[in-house]
Amino acid sequence: MHSTSILLAILSATTALCSGPIETGPWVEDKPTFNLHQCAGGKVNGDTFVLPKSPNGSTSGPGCGNGHLRAERRYNDNYSSGVHQFSGEFKINSMSGKRICLKQTFRGSGHGDGGPYFLLAVDEGGDLYKVGGTPIAKGVATVGTTVQVNTVHDVAKRRLSLYINGKEMYRDNDAPEGSFYDKIGTYATDSGKGAISVTWSNVQLWHKK
């Protein structure tokens, strides 16, 4: 009985981390290109995104004007209608910093208020939160732990849902209108600092047919 319970727990955890779309489809996979944003000493090495402890003072490069530490992948999946989903797994390899953004749903320009819309960040102790103060999941993103992230964005219904390890942990039913795209990596928020190393894997994007 005891061994059966352990096996079921392992299977449950494995299932929760399986890559793939969440919510009812049908879903069609997109395969957009991407650009790298490496700012103030931040570096992207394949699927690993690294920030040093403090910025080097440089403001040159895409997205680097504010001087913040940044090592990100900007997907060219721009959309302004339909239902769109992001899925990926991240693992923090090391972290001595705090309040670092890992995933962004970014609002494009052209609708009067372009800029970051939804930012998922990690704080000390592995706590995930929405930048702006909303707690999301306490202690789930500790060093060495793989975390599954899905976002589902229904533009017409103005709804964005965030799933962590297969469970909906945040919903915005009053999302703004506009055009959007996805970013992953590491970015030091206004109150954040390095250092951190994060690896993203199994990243996929879809739209609902």
Side-chain angles (χ1 to χ4, degrees):
M1 182 68 177
H2 182 64
S3 59
T4 301
S5 298
I6 292 174
L7 178 59
L8 289 173
I10 293 172
L11 289 173
S12 177
T14 303
T15 301
L17 290 176
C18 282
S19 297
I22 209 162
E23 297 193 5
T24 303
W27 295 96
V28 178
E29 185 175 1
D30 301 316
K31 295 185 178 181
T33 60
F34 58 81
N35 301 321
L36 299 181
H37 295 174
Q38 302 177 93
C39 304
K43 296 294 181 184
V44 180
N45 300 309
D47 294 325
T48 298
F49 304 82
V50 180
L51 299 182
K53 184 176 180 179
S54 56
N56 62 14
S58 173
T59 57
S60 62
C64 299
N66 64 6
H68 285 214
L69 287 166
R70 185 190 303 272
E72 290 185 308
R73 183 184 294 172
R74 190 273 203 215
Y75 285 96
N76 298 311
D77 63 329
N78 303 48
Y79 60 89
S80 56
S81 61
V83 184
H84 296 262
Q85 181 164 179
F86 165 93
S87 176
E89 299 170 4
F90 73 83
K91 180 176 70 173
I92 297 175
N93 306 307
S94 62
M95 179 176 173
S96 59
K98 63 179 183 178
R99 304 186 71 79
I100 297 169
C101 178
L102 304 175
K103 163 72 176 71
Q104 297 191 41
T105 300
F106 205 90
R107 191 180 185 198
S109 58
H111 290 79
D113 191 23
Y117 157 50
F118 176 82
L119 283 73
L120 175 67
V122 63
D123 205 352
E124 297 168 297
D127 296 347
L128 294 177
Y129 69 99
K130 175 186 176 292
V131 174
T134 304
I136 293 202
K138 188 173 180 62
V140 300
T142 53
V143 171
T145 301
T146 299
V147 179
Q148 173 76 32
V149 177
N150 292 71
T151 57
V152 179
H153 188 187
D154 188 328
V155 178
K157 293 184 178 179
R158 301 182 64 179
R159 188 263 298 185
L160 182 135
S161 292
L162 168 73
Y163 294 82
I164 299 295
N165 294 338
K167 181 179 180 180
E168 187 176 22
M169 301 298 291
Y170 173 85
R171 176 180 288 213
D172 181 3
N173 287 314
D174 192 26
E177 298 177 333
S179 62
F180 301 87
Y181 56 86
D182 291 288
K183 299 175 75 175
I184 62 170
T186 51
Y187 169 69
T189 65
D190 288 344
S191 58
K193 64 177 184 178
I196 191 171
S197 168
V198 175
T199 299
W200 276 91
S201 59
N202 298 319
V203 173
Q204 294 176 280
L205 299 105
W206 296 273
H207 68 273
K208 184 175 279 191
K209 188 174 180 179

